[in-house]
Amino acid sequence: MSGTVIVFDFDKTIVDVDSDNWVIDELGFTDLFNQLLPTMPWNSLMDRMMMELHSNGKTIEDIEEVLRRIPLHPRVIPALQAAHALGCDLRIVSDANVFFIETILKHLGIREYFSEINTNPGYVNEEGRLRILPYHDFNKASHGCTLCPPNMCKGLIIDRIQDSISEEGKKRMIYLGDGSGDYCPSLRLKERDFMMPRKNFPVWDLICKDPLLVKAEIHGWSDGEELEQVLLHLINKISMEENAQFISSDCKLQTLSVSALEGLPKALPVRP
């Protein structure tokens, strides 16, 4: 199954909530967040909120403690474990940030399952404050995509992944996501790929407006249990198709002539 690349969104896909909102709400800064939200891009606001948390005495340890108890469906980790054990290449493309994602994955003991995490940079500065930066520095130049937020075009990331895996042979991609930011990458998938949008979430609604714009096969899911079922079904489907292709291409099956068939041993009659 090394020919299968599975790309996961993080918030509301691997974890069951938005990690940004979870931290802000749990630490009691929801009102300030909502007050500032109309004034700046989300990514810039999260960096500002980390400053506010630090100014009000909230520590990195406080943030980590909140992240370690983030809600997730009990079937998500088994799904990731199974996909990893089957040899799939698991990656993350998320508009969260690397500090939140890695803290959660390490706590869950599944960080090593992922070969790549594409997300907004985050680091703890010398003052002990968490800084969150944009994946794409929109202050220098626009990424040029009108579908995506200014700090990250997931479609461009999928393009890069596709370019890199195309050099390694015919690999197929499964993409899982829930948000409007996952719509752009769904349009970049190939016919032989699979799109797994979360049902009745923004990306599902966008796809449903004109499903024919998505070349990949679309397989929806509603919760972690259905995510596991659908994902493992698709992995199995790809595996069976790969095996069938291997047999047809590598085994030079030739039609036996009648004379050859006559030379084969006959079945013994069985008395009733």
Side-chain angles (χ1 to χ4, degrees):
M1 289 305 297
S2 58
T4 304
V5 178
I6 308 177
V7 180
F8 295 85
D9 173 40
F10 189 75
D11 293 336
K12 300 183 182 177
T13 300
I14 292 178
V15 295
D16 221 18
V17 295
D18 182 288
S19 57
D20 289 345
N21 287 139
W22 174 255
V23 169
I24 298 301
D25 294 347
E26 290 296 303
L27 292 177
F29 283 75
T30 308
D31 290 343
L32 179 59
F33 179 87
N34 290 337
Q35 179 184 334
L36 294 174
L37 183 56
T39 67
M40 64 186 81
W42 185 286
N43 178 258
S44 305
L45 175 55
M46 282 306 298
D47 185 54
R48 166 69 183 273
M49 291 307 301
M50 294 305 104
M51 182 189 77
E52 296 291 343
L53 293 179
H54 184 259
S55 299
N56 283 272
K58 300 297 182 183
T59 65
I60 294 299
E61 290 72 26
D62 293 331
I63 296 171
E64 290 173 333
E65 187 275 328
V66 167
L67 290 169
R68 284 194 290 266
R69 51 184 172 85
I70 197 166
L72 72 160
H73 192 282
R75 297 312 307 169
V76 168
I77 292 180
L80 295 171
Q81 289 171 331
H84 181 259
L86 289 167
C88 299
D89 179 359
L90 311 186
R91 309 186 187 205
I92 289 174
V93 176
S94 169
D95 197 10
N97 67 81
V98 70
F99 183 87
F100 285 10
I101 292 174
E102 292 210 330
T103 299
I104 293 166
L105 294 181
K106 287 174 182 175
H107 173 67
L108 296 173
I110 58 174
R111 171 61 185 90
E112 68 275 12
Y113 291 177
F114 297 92
S115 65
E116 186 176 274
I117 297 176
N118 301 276
T119 189
N120 297 298
Y123 67 94
V124 180
N125 69 9
E126 62 280 0
E127 298 172 0
R129 172 202 157 189
L130 180 59
R131 295 298 313 271
I132 297 174
L133 306 176
Y135 178 85
H136 182 98
D137 190 351
F138 54 87
N139 292 313
K140 291 184 178 178
S142 168
H143 53 56
C145 177
T146 59
L147 294 174
C148 294
N151 64 293
M152 174 178 283
C153 172
K154 291 186 177 183
L156 290 176
I157 299 173
I158 293 301
D159 286 346
R160 179 186 57 75
I161 294 174
Q162 286 175 329
D163 289 343
S164 67
I165 64 178
S166 66
E167 298 170 2
E168 304 168 21
K170 290 187 176 181
K171 293 197 173 188
R172 301 173 75 175
M173 186 179 292
I174 304 173
Y175 186 100
L176 299 87
D178 74 285
S180 56
D182 298 306
Y183 181 61
C184 179
S186 76
L187 301 177
R188 314 288 181 113
L189 299 176
K190 314 293 186 186
E191 289 181 2
R192 58 203 306 274
D193 297 331
F194 299 91
M195 176 64 192
M196 286 181 57
R198 191 168 187 178
K199 295 175 185 175
N200 302 315
F201 277 69
V203 71
W204 174 266
D205 296 337
L206 288 167
I207 289 173
C208 286
K209 288 180 180 178
D210 192 349
L212 295 178
L213 292 177
V214 179
K215 297 174 186 174
E217 271 190 34
I218 300 168
H219 295 262
W221 57 281
S222 56
D223 58 21
E225 184 175 357
E226 196 171 9
L227 180 154
E228 180 185 35
Q229 292 169 353
V230 174
L231 181 61
L232 296 185
H233 164 73
L234 293 180
I235 294 171
N236 184 57
K237 174 183 169 79
I238 293 171
S239 178
M240 291 176 67
E241 290 176 1
E242 282 182 353
N243 289 337
Q245 190 175 19
F246 174 79
I247 291 169
S248 64
S249 61
D250 286 19
C251 296
K252 301 187 185 304
L253 300 174
Q254 296 179 352
T255 304
L256 293 172
S257 65
V258 174
S259 60
L261 288 170
E262 289 173 348
L264 294 173
K266 303 295 188 291
L268 294 173
V270 177
R271 188 175 293 175

